[in-house]
């Protein structure tokens, strides 16, 4: 094995090994939650994972990286959290173009011939599995269910979810049976359990969070700061979880801010 091959095995399969990218993204090993987010984006747009597409390539690379011990199953690359990933569908007469990007760099572009009768009147944009001009608080919570769904709910998660619900609904009253109430109940129950497999996970609470909130709104920088503060204050290590509630809301706020410029 050459020195270059040995180094590649040690570093895992990086983004620049399979995609034409540069900068900070290029040297990052492809993580399982990166692949999960892209797969969700593709499925949301076209109804399935594209054979040989970006999601399939990322999933294969992430699986090999996890088996090699380069990344963990719950890992999400920092630059993906900070800058997000997008899938954009552009419709032209008789043709549909899907462009996929990570951290602002295009990693895949696919063209499909379609019947002109199926062409919608407007393009559809997906940002971290969200179809909308701006990402709402509920949608950001759904992203954390994808990115960190297997994390057992603790008090820091419950506090962050409560802060998110308060900002989405413009009410300080915790909604009975709402995501904040369920998260707090789960955190209390989880604290009394020893085995993680028995604990309620984020995905149990936040999947379809957008439909569980009685009201919603686009994420702002102020919302992100509030949710981040709540998660930090209730974490004994004063840290946020990668891909968790605060991280997803912060990433959504940054993307919304860029979209406004």
């Amino acid at each position: 094995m050459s020195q270059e091959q040995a180094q590649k095995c040690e570093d895992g399969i990086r983004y620049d090994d399979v995609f034409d990218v540069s900068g900070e993204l290029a040297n990052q090993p492809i993580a399982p939650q990166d692949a999960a987010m892209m797969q969700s984006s593709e499925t949301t747009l076209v109804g399935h994972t594209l054979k040989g597409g970006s999601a399939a390539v990322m999933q294969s690379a992430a699986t090999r990286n996890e088996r090699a011990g380069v990344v963990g199953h719950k890992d999400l690359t920092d630059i993906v959290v900070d800058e997000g990933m997008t899938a954009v569908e552009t419709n032209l007469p008789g043709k549909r173009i899907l462009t996929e990007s990570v951290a602002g760099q295009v990693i895949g572009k696919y063209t499909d011939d379609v019947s002109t009768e199926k062409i919608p009147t407007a393009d559809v944009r997906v940002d971290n599995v969200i179809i909308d001009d701006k990402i709402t608080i509920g949608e950001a919570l759904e992203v954390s269910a994808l990115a960190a769904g297997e994390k057992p709910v603790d008090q820091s998660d419950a506090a962050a979810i409560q802060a998110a619900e308060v900002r989405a609904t413009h009410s300080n009253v915790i909604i009975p049976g709402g995501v904040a109430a369920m998260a707090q109940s789960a955190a209390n129950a989880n604290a009394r359990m020893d085995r993680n497999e028995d604990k309620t996970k984020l995905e149990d609470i936040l999947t379809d969070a957008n439909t569980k909130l009685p009201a919603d709104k686009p994420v702002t920088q102020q919302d992100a700061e509030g949710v981040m503060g709540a998660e930090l204050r209730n974490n004994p290590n004063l840290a946020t979880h990668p891909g968790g509630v605060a991280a997803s809301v912060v990433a959504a706020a940054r993307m919304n801010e860029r979209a406004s410029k």
Side-chain angles (χ1 to χ4, degrees):
M1 180 182 291
S2 69
Q3 183 176 353
E4 181 179 354
Q5 289 173 320
Q7 184 65 39
K8 180 171 291 189
C9 289
E10 181 181 340
D11 295 341
I13 301 175
R14 305 178 310 182
Y15 274 91
D16 65 352
D17 291 326
V18 291
F19 300 117
D20 184 17
V21 295
S22 59
E24 181 182 352
L25 177 65
N27 297 321
Q28 301 299 316
I30 298 176
Q33 296 305 321
D34 299 2
M37 290 173 69
M38 182 56 75
Q39 183 176 20
S40 295
S41 297
E42 276 190 10
T43 302
T44 300
L45 270 184
V46 300
H48 59 88
T49 303
L50 296 173
K51 184 176 181 179
S54 301
V57 172
M58 291 174 68
Q59 188 61 61
S60 177
T63 299
R64 293 177 62 180
N65 286 346
E66 185 178 351
R67 288 175 180 170
V70 177
V71 296
H73 182 69
K74 300 178 181 179
D75 284 356
L76 178 66
T77 305
D78 287 344
I79 193 171
V80 174
V81 173
D82 291 340
E83 301 188 30
M85 61 174 62
T86 63
V88 180
E89 183 183 67
T90 303
N91 293 289
L92 301 173
K95 187 173 295 185
R96 178 176 61 185
I97 301 173
L98 175 65
T99 305
E100 298 174 324
S101 304
V102 176
Q105 299 191 56
V106 175
I107 63 170
K109 196 166 188 176
Y110 313 96
T111 301
D112 185 27
D113 292 329
V114 296
S115 168
T116 55
E117 296 179 356
K118 296 181 181 181
I119 297 176
T121 57
D123 291 347
V124 178
R125 178 183 177 86
V126 173
D127 288 306
N128 283 357
V129 204
I130 295 158
I131 309 177
D132 206 340
D133 290 332
K134 287 192 175 181
I135 303 170
T136 68
I137 290 175
E139 291 166 334
L141 292 178
E142 291 180 355
V143 170
S144 64
L146 291 170
E150 295 184 3
K151 180 187 183 299
V153 179
D154 60 22
Q155 289 297 337
S156 67
D157 301 316
I161 293 169
Q162 179 177 335
E165 182 182 273
V166 165
R167 283 159 176 77
T169 60
H170 299 286
S171 172
N172 290 321
V173 178
I174 302 304
I175 303 165
V179 290
M182 289 191 295
Q184 187 59 62
S185 177
N188 293 340
N190 286 350
R192 298 191 294 268
M193 297 181 183
D194 294 325
R195 302 194 314 166
N196 279 346
E197 53 265 38
D198 295 331
K199 296 180 179 181
T200 301
K201 311 298 193 299
L202 278 178
E203 62 186 358
D204 299 323
I205 304 296
L206 297 180
T207 298
D208 297 324
N210 185 39
T211 62
K212 296 174 182 176
L213 291 171
D216 206 356
K217 64 181 285 290
V219 182
T220 65
Q221 189 62 40
Q222 290 72 28
D223 297 327
E225 290 172 359
V227 174
M228 173 77 77
E231 187 167 321
L232 286 172
R233 286 192 301 272
N234 290 273
N235 187 303
N237 298 318
L238 294 177
T240 59
H241 187 78
V245 177
S248 296
V249 174
V250 168
R254 287 173 178 166
M255 284 186 280
N256 284 351
E257 188 175 358
R258 286 200 298 270
S260 298
K261 294 179 178 180

